[in-house]
Amino acid sequence: MKYARVVFPLPQELAFTYLIPDRLQSTAQPGCRVLAPLGRSVREGVIVALMEESDLPDLSIEIKKLTDCLDTTPTFSDELLSLTKWIAEYYMSSWGEALQCAVPAAVRTQQHRIVHLLATGEQIEEMRKRMPVQAQILVILRVSGDLSPNQIARRMGRSYSKIRPVLSTLQEKGLVELRSGFQSKTTPQNATVISLTKPFAEIEEEIESLSKRAPKQAEILRMLIDESETTQVYATDVTKRANTSLMSLRSLERKGLIRMASVQVIRSPLSLEPVAPTLPLSLNAAQATALEAIREAISLSGTSSSRSDRIFLLHGVTGSGKTEVYMQAIAVVLESGKGAIVLVPEIALTPQTVSRFVGRFGSQVAVLHSRLSDGERYDQWHRLRTGQANIVVGPRSAVFAPIPNLGIIVIDEEHETTYKQEDASPRYHAREVAIKRSKIANCPVVLGSATPSLESFYHAQHGAYHLLSLPSRIADIKMPPVQIVDMREELKRGNRTIFSRELRAMIEDRLAKKEQIILFLNRRGYSTYVFCRTCGYVERCSNCSISLTFHFETKQMVCHHCGDKRPTSKACPRCGSMYFRYFGLGTEKVEQEIIKAFPEAKVKRMDTDSTTRKDAHQKILDAFKAREIDILLGTQMIAKGLDFPNVTLVGVISADTALNLPDFRTGERAFNLLTQVAGRSGRGKAGGEVIIQTYTPEHYAIQAAQGHDYHRFYQEEVEYRKDLLYPPVSHAATILLRGEVEEEVIQEANVLLGHLELIQADQFPAVEIRGPVPAPLAKIKGKFRWHFLLRSKSVENLRGLIRQALDATPPMSIDLIVDIDPMSVL
């Protein structure tokens, strides 16, 4: 093939044709990453097709050549090319953007600048006395070859800002040249291993001989004999333990007593603590029925079975043994030589899930998520790609894992909104992507949850998914009773603390029994707003239309949308009043109140503020598992997936935090969170209880959560959605316009409205258009936000209307974001 079609990670849906030079003919294949000229620069793109003839209509156009091919084996398989093409079409992004999100940044290349020496030896000598700093740079380049500006600065012991003007001067004089290059962001890590080359008897003789002349070398040989059964002995470990240098090893190598070799070291993100192996558990009748259905679908992979026979919704109450069903299904897949993807909604859940899977499947398990270092992500991705690992556990991006022969996809807690990518294009939902990938790979997908999303349960009710039920906990453990406490009544009785009398009494009881407690509040920080009681002034973010949250630990007010921070004021900035008070409740304040009320308890807070460091999640959960923590307080990251048998009390500090948001999923989110966090209690033989504190005890989501009654909630919620034509009975899309000048945003929104209404009336009368109106969060990060909401029973009609309207609208100077099947309209 002479020509390649290449796409780039650009927002425009464009593909470019390039000539394949002879030297790249053997390597340039669909799915390979290439470097190619684009405009005035060279960019990394992906080949999506090869052609024998040019597809350009004007044959007089000179076709540029590919600069280089970065892969010997395609990074993107045919399966991933098809998947990302579908993502681009469904979620209205470019194919290049979809491909970019399908591979970790650690695997991609990055552009860098290098300094190339042009000066002659004579020129350098002439400058030594007159311009010593310039001469020093030139000498460094003559000795070391091409270097980056930062490398030059480090060798000079200076900062880059100090040498930047000097480099500019040298460039103007024609003594150096700044060039652009590409390099892998991450490369394999190697280490030196050592081994003995002679039998033990001969080595013992050498030790005797070296004991007086070279005692360190003799000590090293003794170590190697003692560790002869170790798979690999690293040179760095040996020199550290023997308190010697690499010279001792080189000397032993020259004597022919040891062999030194360089090997690749896998940077493992897994805990250094060994995980005890586990065996498959006996299944109860419901688990066995579910597994048999999945096993049958696995056996039919590759056949023309109907789509619904391959999509399973495993609806099981908390503690019903869904994970055991997942693992036994995956074991069936592994027996046939295939691999598995296991998605979890939170990075916080990854350590515990990974431990379970490593205990069952050992080194076959890899993990991928954003908290890994670049090196760890690079190694884990390559382990999967090369088949060294064939099970991956991770959040939504793991749906793109390069497993060559995929046999099953599992999505745990499939209802979670974190499976939706919301901050960048493409705004995909991992559940829908997983279902599409399973269709391409012809393998089953299992969606598991105690509180399925309304979309999934609706599809199961209408035959699109195969519903499997686990109605009771394993070992006949009872669901914990849930008590609703009306905090309005607490106020009437004079209790103004955050703990109702019932919750306080139960906490004291559990602490006395040495049992553990989880307290939940889905709001971080100390106080949710700062308010002047004299003039009514509220501290607001200057960039966003929201109040600032006070954080006690940092003594700062923080915007949770743009990250803006400012110090606290002792007096009102507007009127100078000293009646400047902190109102509202966050996890920091609750933590202080717990410590004050129960000083003997060991308390730990787990939220995004307390888990910023690497492995922070795992350290907290390990300490809780080891019973080093009595009370674990946290946000939604502690509400699901955690299994601690000694937890006998769960307390919800306030169930009202999410009930009053202007979003159609508010009730669903509240029910899911309450049911999931309640499910952390009573997983052991001691049983457990749950207390939910609320000012709206009559709300149907809270009433259904009290009885762990998903069906009751579903019936009420789905009727509300039908009345208002919201998902799952329809598809929705939002169009968000944002800009720094609100009048400009409004003007552009009205222009777009004109095109939408014209095309709707002519071609898509069944699509409903709402807006434009200010978004509930009307200003974020200094940009005003107006949005449209579109609804239709046909997602094809939604996309068709939006695409045609955007094509008819002149280019805008503001941001425009389309979100198909949004999880929120805020």
Side-chain angles (χ1 to χ4, degrees), residues 749-822:
N750 286 323
V751 170
L752 179 58
L753 174 64
H755 291 295
L756 284 168
E757 289 180 334
L758 189 66
I759 297 167
Q760 176 218 29
D762 184 44
Q763 300 181 48
F764 304 101
V767 177
E768 180 185 290
I769 303 171
R770 294 288 181 90
V773 294
L777 297 174
K779 187 182 179 186
I780 298 291
K781 297 182 180 178
K783 292 188 176 183
F784 294 93
R785 308 165 79 244
W786 282 61
H787 69 170
F788 295 84
L789 175 64
L790 287 75
R791 290 178 290 192
S792 172
K793 291 195 174 183
S794 166
V795 71
E796 289 79 12
N797 286 346
L798 272 181
R799 294 201 308 266
L801 171 58
I802 294 171
R803 187 171 283 113
Q804 289 190 38
L806 293 182
D807 289 343
T809 303
M812 296 183 180
S813 59
I814 61 172
D815 301 333
L816 186 146
I817 297 166
V818 176
D819 192 354
I820 304 295
D821 298 331

Side-chain angles (χ1 to χ4, degrees), residues 659-809:
L659 281 177
N660 298 310
L661 294 174
D663 190 274
F664 71 92
R665 296 186 193 271
T666 292
E668 183 179 4
R669 286 200 189 97
F671 173 78
N672 290 347
L673 268 175
L674 294 175
T675 303
Q676 292 286 340
V677 74
R680 302 313 107 204
S681 179
R683 288 175 168 250
K685 294 180 180 179
E689 293 179 87
V690 180
I691 287 186
I692 296 176
Q693 300 183 159
T694 176
Y695 287 91
T696 54
E698 67 283 351
H699 195 286
Y700 66 95
I702 293 176
Q703 290 290 316
Q706 182 178 20
H708 306 280
D709 192 344
Y710 176 82
H711 293 276
R712 173 185 172 183
F713 170 76
Y714 173 80
Q715 290 300 331
E716 188 152 356
E717 182 72 12
V718 83
E719 288 302 318
Y720 151 69
R721 303 280 183 95
K722 285 178 182 177
D723 290 343
L724 298 174
L725 196 65
Y726 277 121
V729 298
S730 72
H731 284 275
T734 58
I735 305 174
L736 175 69
L737 296 94
R738 63 188 185 192
E740 295 177 358
V741 181
E742 188 170 23
E743 290 76 14
E744 187 178 351
V745 175
I746 296 170
Q747 181 180 347
E748 295 284 14
N750 286 323
V751 170
L752 179 58
L753 174 64
H755 291 295
L756 284 168
E757 289 180 334
L758 189 66
I759 297 167
Q760 176 218 29
D762 184 44
Q763 300 181 48
F764 304 101
V767 177
E768 180 185 290
I769 303 171
R770 294 288 181 90
V773 294
L777 297 174
K779 187 182 179 186
I780 298 291
K781 297 182 180 178
K783 292 188 176 183
F784 294 93
R785 308 165 79 244
W786 282 61
H787 69 170
F788 295 84
L789 175 64
L790 287 75
R791 290 178 290 192
S792 172
K793 291 195 174 183
S794 166
V795 71
E796 289 79 12
N797 286 346
L798 272 181
R799 294 201 308 266
L801 171 58
I802 294 171
R803 187 171 283 113
Q804 289 190 38
L806 293 182
D807 289 343
T809 303

Side-chain angles (χ1 to χ4, degrees), residues 217-236:
Q217 294 180 27
E219 185 180 351
I220 291 170
L221 292 177
R222 288 193 195 95
M223 285 183 190
L224 294 177
I225 290 177
D226 293 341
E227 299 185 10
S228 59
E229 296 182 1
T230 303
T231 307
Q232 290 182 328
V233 179
Y234 292 103
T236 51

